[in-house]
Amino acid sequence: MIDAKKMGFCLAFLLAALVLGGCEGAEARGSGDDDDGSSDSDSDSDSDSDSDSDSDSDGDCGLNELETFESDIPTGWTVIDGGTSAGAWVWADALPDEFQVATIIDGGALIDSHEAGVGATQDDDLESPLYDLGDCTSATLSYDHNFQKDLVGSDMGEVYLLPGGDGTPVLLESYETDSSKTSLDAESIEITASMLGEDTTFKIVFHYEGSHDLGWYVDNVAVDGSP
């Protein structure tokens, strides 16, 4: 027959073991929950960090300018007449017949050498406002245009970058042959910080030279910075 005291001792021992095992299991589960919570928190933090990084890389560095020349040569743009008084840059909503270009325009800057007449000369600039590269590392200059050259003329169009607004001109593009006869040509040119030297500001200049030739039309001038 089993001793009652021994049986009581065994039951007490088994009960204590069960209680202890249950506590340890609860602690283990609690620890696992904490680990999961920490992991979720870390994951959320990493996700936020990645989102911030993507936002910075795709961010706007502050330089976004567009001139569509809706109704006139706008304030801030400067026309410099370096030739005779006839044939300077003006606003126009139609291309001259002499261009023989089959396209419709909605208004832009035009210099018409042919209309200026025999004896008139053009050495004229259309100068933009001052732009600031600021926190941008580079910028893209884009514009639509149509350059038309007289068969026997010596006219040409040039696009310059002016560091600081009045620094030594940097030639970006030049035209001495006809543009399209059916549409405006779209151009895109990169401007880097190194092209500006120690400056962060700049102007864009559309320069035309001619003498009773044809002319040049410019529209939708945009300068967009890149971080």
Side-chain angles (χ1 to χ4, degrees):
M1 185 173 185
I2 300 173
D3 190 303
K5 290 183 178 181
K6 288 183 178 180
M7 181 175 288
F9 177 80
C10 290
L11 290 174
F13 177 82
L14 288 173
L15 180 61
L18 289 172
V19 171
L20 180 60
C23 290
E24 289 177 349
E27 289 177 357
R29 288 192 297 274
S31 175
D33 291 342
D34 290 343
D35 290 344
D36 291 343
S38 175
S39 177
D40 291 344
S41 177
D42 291 344
S43 177
D44 291 344
S45 177
D46 291 343
S47 177
D48 291 343
S49 177
D50 290 343
S51 177
D52 291 343
S53 177
D54 291 343
S55 176
D56 291 342
S57 63
D58 297 335
D60 182 355
C61 60
L63 179 57
N64 299 101
E65 300 291 342
L66 171 64
E67 182 51 62
T68 57
F69 300 96
E70 288 297 327
S71 60
D72 203 348
I73 302 296
T75 301
W77 286 74
T78 305
V79 172
I80 302 174
D81 188 354
T84 58
S85 58
W89 286 95
V90 297
W91 181 83
D93 59 359
L95 295 178
D97 292 339
E98 291 78 15
F99 275 31
Q100 298 180 359
V101 176
T103 189
I104 298 174
I105 62 173
D106 58 2
L110 171 72
I111 186 163
D112 188 346
S113 180
H114 188 273
E115 180 68 20
V118 177
T121 61
Q122 293 80 45
D123 186 10
D124 294 18
D125 292 340
L126 175 66
E127 187 176 277
S128 78
L130 191 68
Y131 302 121
D132 192 346
L133 199 61
D135 294 330
C136 307
T137 59
S138 63
T140 299
L141 165 67
S142 59
Y143 54 93
D144 299 328
H145 79 117
N146 195 283
F147 176 87
Q148 296 296 328
K149 184 180 180 68
D150 189 78
L151 292 176
V152 296
S154 58
D155 51 329
M156 67 176 181
E158 297 172 322
V159 183
Y160 285 98
L161 172 73
L162 286 186
D166 57 2
T168 302
V170 177
L171 180 63
L172 299 176
E173 187 59 271
S174 62
Y175 305 99
E176 294 188 63
T177 58
D178 287 351
S179 297
S180 170
K181 288 293 187 181
T182 59
S183 65
L184 300 182
D185 290 350
E187 299 285 0
S188 181
I189 303 170
E190 184 179 14
I191 298 171
T192 62
S194 62
M195 296 168 68
L196 301 179
E198 297 181 356
D199 292 301
T200 61
T201 59
F202 62 93
K203 291 183 177 181
I204 301 298
V205 177
F206 295 89
H207 175 75
Y208 178 84
E209 293 182 20
S211 178
H212 195 53
D213 297 304
L214 291 183
W216 196 12
Y217 174 84
V218 176
D219 198 5
N220 301 320
V221 179
V223 179
D224 295 305
S226 299

mmCIF file of all heavy atoms in Angstrom, residues 20-38:
data_model
loop_
_atom_site.group_PDB
_atom_site.id
_atom_site.type_symbol
_atom_site.label_atom_id
_atom_site.label_comp_id
_atom_site.label_asym_id
_atom_site.label_seq_id
_atom_site.Cartn_x
_atom_site.Cartn_y
_atom_site.Cartn_z
ATOM 1 N N LEU A 20 5.496 25.653 -13.085
ATOM 2 C CA LEU A 20 6.752 26.230 -13.567
ATOM 3 C C LEU A 20 6.853 26.144 -15.080
ATOM 4 O O LEU A 20 7.254 27.086 -15.762
ATOM 5 C CB LEU A 20 7.935 25.505 -12.914
ATOM 6 C CG LEU A 20 9.338 26.012 -13.330
ATOM 7 C CD1 LEU A 20 9.484 27.471 -12.953
ATOM 8 C CD2 LEU A 20 10.412 25.163 -12.649
ATOM 9 N N GLY A 21 6.469 24.989 -15.638
ATOM 10 C CA GLY A 21 6.510 24.822 -17.094
ATOM 11 C C GLY A 21 5.577 25.791 -17.785
ATOM 12 O O GLY A 21 5.882 26.366 -18.822
ATOM 13 N N GLY A 22 4.399 26.008 -17.203
ATOM 14 C CA GLY A 22 3.455 26.952 -17.799
ATOM 15 C C GLY A 22 3.984 28.360 -17.803
ATOM 16 O O GLY A 22 3.839 29.111 -18.761
ATOM 17 N N CYS A 23 4.668 28.765 -16.712
ATOM 18 C CA CYS A 23 5.234 30.129 -16.638
ATOM 19 C C CYS A 23 6.325 30.326 -17.673
ATOM 20 O O CYS A 23 6.419 31.360 -18.339
ATOM 21 C CB CYS A 23 5.792 30.383 -15.235
ATOM 22 S SG CYS A 23 4.501 30.533 -13.973
ATOM 23 N N GLU A 24 7.186 29.307 -17.803
ATOM 24 C CA GLU A 24 8.282 29.417 -18.772
ATOM 25 C C GLU A 24 7.745 29.515 -20.190
ATOM 26 O O GLU A 24 8.255 30.259 -21.039
ATOM 27 C CB GLU A 24 9.215 28.210 -18.627
ATOM 28 C CG GLU A 24 10.040 28.225 -17.343
ATOM 29 C CD GLU A 24 10.904 26.985 -17.208
ATOM 30 O OE1 GLU A 24 10.692 26.042 -17.998
ATOM 31 O OE2 GLU A 24 11.779 26.989 -16.333
ATOM 32 N N GLY A 25 6.667 28.740 -20.463
ATOM 33 C CA GLY A 25 6.070 28.800 -21.803
ATOM 34 C C GLY A 25 5.488 30.171 -22.085
ATOM 35 O O GLY A 25 5.607 30.713 -23.177
ATOM 36 N N ALA A 26 4.844 30.753 -21.042
ATOM 37 C CA ALA A 26 4.265 32.083 -21.215
ATOM 38 C C ALA A 26 5.343 33.113 -21.484
ATOM 39 O O ALA A 26 5.205 34.007 -22.305
ATOM 40 C CB ALA A 26 3.448 32.460 -19.971
ATOM 41 N N GLU A 27 6.482 32.996 -20.737
ATOM 42 C CA GLU A 27 7.593 33.924 -20.940
ATOM 43 C C GLU A 27 8.159 33.798 -22.339
ATOM 44 O O GLU A 27 8.511 34.786 -22.989
ATOM 45 C CB GLU A 27 8.687 33.654 -19.898
ATOM 46 C CG GLU A 27 8.308 34.065 -18.480
ATOM 47 C CD GLU A 27 9.398 33.713 -17.478
ATOM 48 O OE1 GLU A 27 10.400 33.117 -17.893
ATOM 49 O OE2 GLU A 27 9.223 34.063 -16.311
ATOM 50 N N ALA A 28 8.279 32.544 -22.809
ATOM 51 C CA ALA A 28 8.820 32.318 -24.149
ATOM 52 C C ALA A 28 7.923 32.956 -25.204
ATOM 53 O O ALA A 28 8.373 33.593 -26.148
ATOM 54 C CB ALA A 28 8.973 30.821 -24.415
ATOM 55 N N ARG A 29 6.570 32.786 -24.989
ATOM 56 C CA ARG A 29 5.642 33.376 -25.943
ATOM 57 C C ARG A 29 5.705 34.894 -25.895
ATOM 58 O O ARG A 29 5.655 35.584 -26.908
ATOM 59 C CB ARG A 29 4.219 32.890 -25.634
ATOM 60 C CG ARG A 29 3.978 31.418 -26.005
ATOM 61 C CD ARG A 29 2.498 31.094 -25.961
ATOM 62 N NE ARG A 29 1.923 31.251 -24.613
ATOM 63 C CZ ARG A 29 1.932 30.309 -23.698
ATOM 64 N NH1 ARG A 29 2.494 29.134 -23.958
ATOM 65 N NH2 ARG A 29 1.386 30.516 -22.520
ATOM 66 N N GLY A 30 5.855 35.454 -24.699
ATOM 67 C CA GLY A 30 5.972 36.908 -24.551
ATOM 68 C C GLY A 30 7.216 37.424 -25.229
ATOM 69 O O GLY A 30 7.227 38.452 -25.895
ATOM 70 N N SER A 31 8.311 36.684 -25.069
ATOM 71 C CA SER A 31 9.569 37.084 -25.701
ATOM 72 C C SER A 31 9.433 37.062 -27.206
ATOM 73 O O SER A 31 9.916 37.932 -27.918
ATOM 74 C CB SER A 31 10.697 36.145 -25.251
ATOM 75 O OG SER A 31 11.893 36.443 -25.925
ATOM 76 N N GLY A 32 8.738 35.988 -27.712
ATOM 77 C CA GLY A 32 8.533 35.897 -29.153
ATOM 78 C C GLY A 32 7.712 37.051 -29.662
ATOM 79 O O GLY A 32 7.964 37.607 -30.719
ATOM 80 N N ASP A 33 6.662 37.445 -28.869
ATOM 81 C CA ASP A 33 5.849 38.581 -29.277
ATOM 82 C C ASP A 33 6.674 39.836 -29.349
ATOM 83 O O ASP A 33 6.525 40.663 -30.246
ATOM 84 C CB ASP A 33 4.683 38.776 -28.298
ATOM 85 C CG ASP A 33 3.665 37.646 -28.408
ATOM 86 O OD1 ASP A 33 3.684 36.936 -29.438
ATOM 87 O OD2 ASP A 33 2.850 37.500 -27.469
ATOM 88 N N ASP A 34 7.565 40.038 -28.356
ATOM 89 C CA ASP A 34 8.420 41.224 -28.360
ATOM 90 C C ASP A 34 9.314 41.234 -29.578
ATOM 91 O O ASP A 34 9.539 42.258 -30.214
ATOM 92 C CB ASP A 34 9.288 41.269 -27.088
ATOM 93 C CG ASP A 34 8.447 41.552 -25.844
ATOM 94 O OD1 ASP A 34 7.297 42.023 -26.028
ATOM 95 O OD2 ASP A 34 8.940 41.293 -24.715
ATOM 96 N N ASP A 35 9.873 40.045 -29.893
ATOM 97 C CA ASP A 35 10.752 39.964 -31.059
ATOM 98 C C ASP A 35 9.992 40.329 -32.318
ATOM 99 O O ASP A 35 10.475 41.059 -33.170
ATOM 100 C CB ASP A 35 11.336 38.545 -31.194
ATOM 101 C CG ASP A 35 12.350 38.254 -30.094
ATOM 102 O OD1 ASP A 35 12.795 39.221 -29.461
ATOM 103 O OD2 ASP A 35 12.669 37.054 -29.884
ATOM 104 N N ASP A 36 8.761 39.813 -32.434
ATOM 105 C CA ASP A 36 7.975 40.117 -33.618
ATOM 106 C C ASP A 36 7.666 41.589 -33.691
ATOM 107 O O ASP A 36 7.722 42.218 -34.743
ATOM 108 C CB ASP A 36 6.658 39.322 -33.604
ATOM 109 C CG ASP A 36 6.916 37.822 -33.802
ATOM 110 O OD1 ASP A 36 8.021 37.495 -34.253
ATOM 111 O OD2 ASP A 36 6.006 37.019 -33.499
ATOM 112 N N GLY A 37 7.328 42.180 -32.518
ATOM 113 C CA GLY A 37 7.020 43.603 -32.493
ATOM 114 C C GLY A 37 8.206 44.421 -32.906
ATOM 115 O O GLY A 37 8.113 45.381 -33.668
ATOM 116 N N SER A 38 9.376 44.037 -32.415
ATOM 117 C CA SER A 38 10.593 44.759 -32.756
ATOM 118 C C SER A 38 10.889 44.639 -34.223
ATOM 119 O O SER A 38 11.269 45.587 -34.888
ATOM 120 C CB SER A 38 11.774 44.212 -31.928
ATOM 121 O OG SER A 38 12.980 44.809 -32.317
#
